[in-house]
Amino acid sequence: MEEVAVVGNKKVILKNYVDGIPTETDMEVKIGDTIELKAPKGSSCFLVKNLYLSCDPYMRGRMRDFHGSYLPPFLPGQPIEGFGLAKVIDSDDPNYTPGELICGITGWEEYSLLRSSNELQLRKIQLDDAIPLSYHLGLLGMAGFTAYAGFYEICSPRKGESVFVSAASGAVGQLVGQLAKLHGCYVVGSAGSKQKVDLLKNKLGFDEAFNYKEEADLDAALKRYFPDGINIYFDNVGGSMLDAALLNMKVRGRIALCGMVSLQSLSSSSQGINNLYNAIPKRVRLEGFLQSDYVHIFPQFLEHVKGYYKEGKIVYIEDMSEGLELAPAALVGLFSGKNVGKQVVRVANE
């Protein structure tokens, strides 16, 4: 009988359900579990070694004890899961062979046993020297696709329009702004530090950018940058920024509701939207969306964005944390804007 290697499998588990903004103490890095480096015969599973994990704001929604959302909650005491990039180590699934690289939903642990029938949004990754592997979690992953589908499908942009993006240096916003510039739009972004504002203007090619923390009056700030109003607002934050944008939309403006990272709680919002009335005379369309509704255009997205990147027409900024131990801090940091660009955790070297 062949000997099967047994190795330690460090993991990040959710201790208890969380209602507000998660803290590091809501999670724990658990050491001591082991795993056989073998996919059990007859299981139709395959075993992967996780290389990179993606930290995304939507994951906070899965930390609540709430079952009415588009994704079920995490289980306390079990590893958190999210998008990751991994290498197949062993397989009982004919579609996956050892050595292949895959992207999809995996566990926050060193090794995961996956089953392809579990709707993990799996896809195989081809190595490309021109593109860092981790970019498959950001630029070419869920965040990049959210930007692409949201901008083209929800915002219906036209050349020469005025576009405002909040959380503009984040995983999604940085690509929305660059796509808008390539489309011939005037683009302004907001972010929460001088460093991020500098990146928006000098590296990401936005026409203008401002630090919302330095603006006493967001309505006045938007009127300064959009004296004639906003055609498209790509909203990643909700709250007072959405309220200010509603005062500044042009007739038939479009607002893509992508995320609301500014909210303290997802279940009991203490802060309402006061300026919604403006959507009526201005005939503004507000639409929430999920990238998963647009998977049919994913191949087109990959082709376009890979091409833009290789031609030097777009750049992408990522913030890399080293080691699974730092994953809880990396995830929590999203909600205070600690990250500069797309937040990724490197679990193991390629």
Side-chain angles (χ1 to χ4, degrees):
M1 207 158 130
E2 60 172 320
E3 287 250 332
V4 176
V6 175
V7 295
N9 192 21
K10 203 184 302 172
K11 43 188 79 170
V12 175
I13 64 169
L14 179 68
K15 289 204 265 192
N16 292 296
Y17 287 122
V18 184
D19 182 48
I21 290 174
T23 61
E24 286 182 58
T25 53
D26 291 319
M27 293 166 270
E28 130 178 61
V29 179
K30 194 171 168 212
I31 304 169
D33 286 6
T34 57
I35 188 169
E36 284 195 347
L37 292 187
K38 189 117 189 90
K41 280 271 171 286
S43 67
S44 299
C45 290
F46 58 101
L47 181 79
V48 298
K49 177 175 183 167
N50 293 311
L51 304 178
Y52 296 97
L53 298 174
S54 174
C55 296
D56 298 292
Y58 82 87
M59 296 169 69
R60 163 172 114 161
R62 299 193 67 188
M63 293 178 155
R64 302 173 297 160
D65 188 7
F66 178 70
H67 295 260
S69 188
Y70 62 99
L71 287 170
F74 296 136
L75 294 171
Q78 294 295 320
I80 284 169
E81 45 180 51
F83 284 95
L85 188 133
K87 187 176 189 173
V88 180
I89 302 288
D90 190 53
S91 178
D92 188 54
D93 180 333
N95 298 309
Y96 295 91
T97 14
E100 285 182 324
L101 291 167
I102 60 112
C103 202
I105 293 175
T106 185
W108 276 34
E109 52 194 354
E110 291 175 289
Y111 296 90
S112 295
L113 198 57
L114 304 179
R115 183 178 274 116
S116 62
S117 59
N118 287 358
E119 292 188 24
L120 303 176
Q121 300 186 41
L122 295 167
R123 57 194 172 89
K124 294 185 184 182
I125 301 300
Q126 304 305 322
L127 275 177
D128 184 329
D129 291 340
I131 295 173
L133 257 188
S134 55
Y135 276 27
H136 290 283
L137 292 180
L139 179 65
L140 301 176
M142 192 269 291
F145 187 50
T146 299
Y148 186 90
F151 184 61
Y152 292 117
E153 302 292 316
I154 305 290
C155 298
S156 315
R158 292 186 280 277
K159 189 178 174 179
E161 289 193 315
S162 297
V163 176
F164 174 47
V165 186
S166 53
S169 67
V172 175
Q174 57 174 308
L175 184 57
V176 173
Q178 293 179 88
L179 292 174
K181 283 304 296 173
L182 288 169
H183 203 76
C185 297
Y186 165 73
V187 186
V188 179
S190 64
S193 72
K194 183 184 183 305
Q195 178 197 12
K196 291 177 181 180
V197 168
D198 288 345
L199 283 170
L200 289 171
K201 293 205 288 207
N202 304 324
K203 186 165 181 183
L204 295 165
F206 283 59
D207 293 295
E208 291 288 348
F210 65 91
N211 180 350
Y212 69 87
K213 292 176 184 169
E214 290 177 357
E215 301 291 341
D217 182 341
L218 293 174
D219 174 33
L222 291 178
K223 285 186 166 50
R224 195 163 74 232
Y225 294 109
F226 298 98
D228 300 324
I230 300 168
N231 294 109
I232 291 170
Y233 172 37
F234 197 102
D235 183 25
N236 291 307
V237 301
S240 54
M241 191 66 86
L242 174 56
D243 234 357
L246 280 162
L247 295 173
N248 288 280
M249 299 304 290
K250 284 187 174 179
V251 170
R252 304 213 183 281
R254 286 85 72 203
I255 299 179
L257 301 172
C258 178
M260 299 211 167
V261 78
S262 76
L263 301 188
Q264 295 300 303
S265 164
L266 298 179
S267 49
S268 55
S269 181
S270 53
Q271 183 184 23
I273 294 295
N274 300 312
N275 299 326
L276 196 54
Y277 166 75
N278 295 272
I280 301 171
K282 294 286 178 70
R283 288 84 97 194
V284 173
R285 179 164 62 83
L286 294 89
E287 186 174 350
F289 73 99
L290 297 175
Q291 53 85 26
S292 48
D293 293 340
Y294 296 94
V295 283
H296 56 282
I297 62 167
F298 194 87
Q300 167 196 324
F301 150 74
L302 270 187
E303 185 189 342
H304 285 171
V305 175
K306 259 188 191 168
Y308 286 146
Y309 180 73
K310 288 182 174 178
E311 290 159 27
K313 287 181 179 165
I314 54 177
V315 294
Y316 200 68
I317 300 166
E318 67 176 7
D319 196 328
M320 183 76 73
S321 292
E322 299 286 345
L324 197 55
E325 300 76 14
L326 294 182
L331 178 59
V332 168
L334 295 174
F335 302 100
S336 58
K338 279 204 175 70
N339 57 304
V340 177
K342 165 72 195 163
Q343 184 66 62
V344 181
V345 176
R346 194 199 313 263
V347 182
N349 285 318
E350 293 149 40

